[in-house]
Amino acid sequence: MSGLLSILPSSWIPYAELIRLDKPTGTYYLFFPCLFSTLLAAPLAAPIAPLSTVLTTTILFLTGALVMRGAGCTINDLWDRNLDPYVSRTRLRPIARGAISPQKAIIFTGAQLLTGLAVLLQFPTSCLYYGIPSLFLVGTYPLAKRITHYPQCILGLTFSWGAIMGFPALGIDLLSNTVAITAASYLYASNVAWTVLYDMIYAHMDIKDDQAAGIKSIALRHETNTKAILSGLAVAQIGLLAAAGAAAGAGPVFFVGSCGSAALTLGWMITRVNLKDVRDCWWWFRYGCWFTGGGIATGLFGDYLARLLGEPRRMRHEAGGEQD
C-alpha cells in the first residue's frame, strides 16, 4: 500500500479502495460541473453572489462530489461483481476479490447516500428537488454497459448533473428564470459531451478485456474512428459551452479563458493521446481533467470577478440615470 491507504487501519482499506479514495480523478470530474455552474450562476443571482458564498458553495459541492462518487463506485461494483473478475484492471476490486461481501457493500452504500443527503440539506430546499432525481441515473448506469455500446452517454447524463445544481444552490429558480434555465441547459449538454469524450479515452484501457467479457462500450463500437468521434465531441462541448456563456451574459474573459483554453487543451489531448497504450490513456484521462476543467473554471472565475468588481460601478450608473 502507498499514499493515503498506507496510513489507514487495515480494516478500512477495502472500503477506501471501494470508493476509489486512492484514485480521486473521478471525484474531480464529478466536481467540475458543479464548480462551472456555481461560477456561471453567481453573476445571475440578485444581488450578484459574494465571493464568500461562492467559496462556501464550492466546498459543499466538493464534499458532495467525494461522497456521491464513492456511492456511485460502490453501486457500480455491486452490479459488476460477476464481471470484474474477468477484467485485468478490475479483478482486484474489493467486492470482486471477496474482501467486502455484497451485503456489507449495500449497507455501506446506504451510509454514503445518507451522508450525501446530509450535504444536500446544507443547500436551499429547492436543491432537493433537483438533486434527488440524479440517483436514478447513478443506479442505472452500470446496467447500460450490458445493453448498449454507449454507456458513456448515460455516464455523461449522470456526471454532468452538477451543471444544473449551482443555480438552485445560489437561490436561482430555474423554472421561473428563462436566462438561467437556458444557460444551465447548454452547460449541462456541454458537460455531457465532455464526459463522453474523456470516458471514451478511458474505455480504451479495457477494450480487449471488455470484448472478451462481452461488455459493451463506445470504444469498442468506434475503435477504428475514435479520434474523429473525439473531435466531434470536442466541437460540441466547446460550442455548447459558448452558448451557455452567451445565454448568461458572460464577457470576453469567459470566451477567451474558458472556451479558448478548452479548445487548446482538448485539441492537444486528442492529437497526442495514444489509444493503443493503456498508460498513455490513463495519463491523459488523469491530467486532462485539470487541463480542460481547470481552464474552463479559471475563465469562469475571471468572468465572475470582472462582473463582481464592476457591480458597484453599474449600480452607481443606474442610480445616476434614475436621478436624471
Side-chain angles (χ1 to χ4, degrees):
M1 296 292 172
S2 60
L4 182 59
L5 297 186
S6 65
I7 64 174
L8 295 176
S10 59
S11 60
W12 293 16
I13 291 175
Y15 292 94
E17 292 175 325
L18 186 60
I19 65 173
R20 318 290 197 267
L21 195 62
D22 57 329
K23 298 175 181 177
T25 303
T27 298
Y28 304 144
Y29 274 121
L30 187 60
F31 166 67
F32 268 122
C34 303
L35 178 60
F36 298 163
S37 64
T38 300
L39 293 172
L40 188 64
L44 299 180
I48 187 169
L51 186 58
S52 58
T53 300
V54 170
L55 290 175
T56 301
T57 303
T58 298
I59 291 170
L60 283 173
F61 273 133
L62 180 58
T63 304
L66 176 64
V67 173
M68 292 309 298
R69 190 259 182 149
C73 289
T74 307
I75 293 170
N76 180 79
D77 288 6
L78 278 165
W79 280 114
D80 288 353
R81 63 186 182 276
N82 296 320
L83 293 175
D84 283 346
Y86 301 99
V87 178
S88 59
R89 186 177 57 82
T90 62
R91 63 185 177 84
L92 294 179
R93 284 179 174 172
I95 299 176
R97 72 174 191 264
I100 298 176
S101 69
Q103 292 76 15
K104 289 183 178 179
I106 290 171
I107 295 171
F108 186 50
T109 300
Q112 292 176 90
L113 292 177
L114 286 174
T115 303
L117 177 61
V119 175
L120 188 58
L121 289 173
Q122 306 310 305
F123 292 106
T125 305
S126 61
C127 284
L128 279 171
Y129 310 128
Y130 292 103
I132 289 178
S134 67
L135 294 177
F136 172 77
L137 294 171
V138 173
T140 56
Y141 160 68
L143 295 175
K145 66 185 75 173
R146 292 163 170 79
I147 60 176
T148 176
H149 280 98
Y150 301 97
Q152 284 74 22
C153 295
I154 306 301
L155 183 70
L157 295 173
T158 307
F159 261 57
S160 302
W161 202 263
I164 298 170
M165 296 300 295
F167 293 85
L170 293 178
I172 299 172
D173 182 9
L174 288 173
L175 298 181
S176 64
N177 190 319
T178 303
V179 170
I181 197 169
T182 302
S185 298
Y186 281 131
L187 185 64
Y188 179 66
S190 175
N191 277 273
V192 172
W194 185 36
T195 304
V196 177
L197 189 160
Y198 67 66
D199 204 59
M200 191 174 186
I201 293 174
Y202 186 81
H204 271 268
M205 296 169 59
D206 298 331
I207 199 165
K208 293 180 181 179
D209 289 332
D210 285 351
Q211 191 169 27
I215 300 171
K216 296 179 173 64
S217 79
I218 193 173
L220 275 172
R221 182 67 179 82
H222 296 284
E223 185 177 4
T224 59
N225 63 338
T226 293
K227 291 210 172 184
I229 301 296
L230 293 176
S231 298
L233 288 167
V235 170
Q237 180 195 347
I238 297 163
L240 290 163
L241 179 63
V253 174
F254 164 79
F255 291 101
V256 174
S258 295
C259 299
S261 67
L264 289 173
T265 56
L266 290 173
W268 179 37
M269 178 173 67
I270 294 169
T271 301
R272 295 294 301 275
V273 63
N274 180 359
L275 297 170
K276 301 295 183 182
D277 187 327
V278 171
R279 291 183 181 178
D280 202 50
C281 288
W282 170 249
W283 192 93
W284 283 103
F285 173 79
R286 182 179 181 183
Y287 293 105
C289 170
W290 291 104
F291 296 151
T292 303
I296 294 172
T298 299
L300 280 164
F301 184 63
D303 181 73
Y304 160 69
L305 282 182
R307 296 164 80 175
L308 178 67
L309 296 174
E311 182 72 359
R313 184 186 307 169
R314 184 186 67 81
M315 293 179 67
R316 287 196 300 269
H317 177 75
E318 290 180 354
E322 291 176 359
Q323 291 176 0
D324 293 341

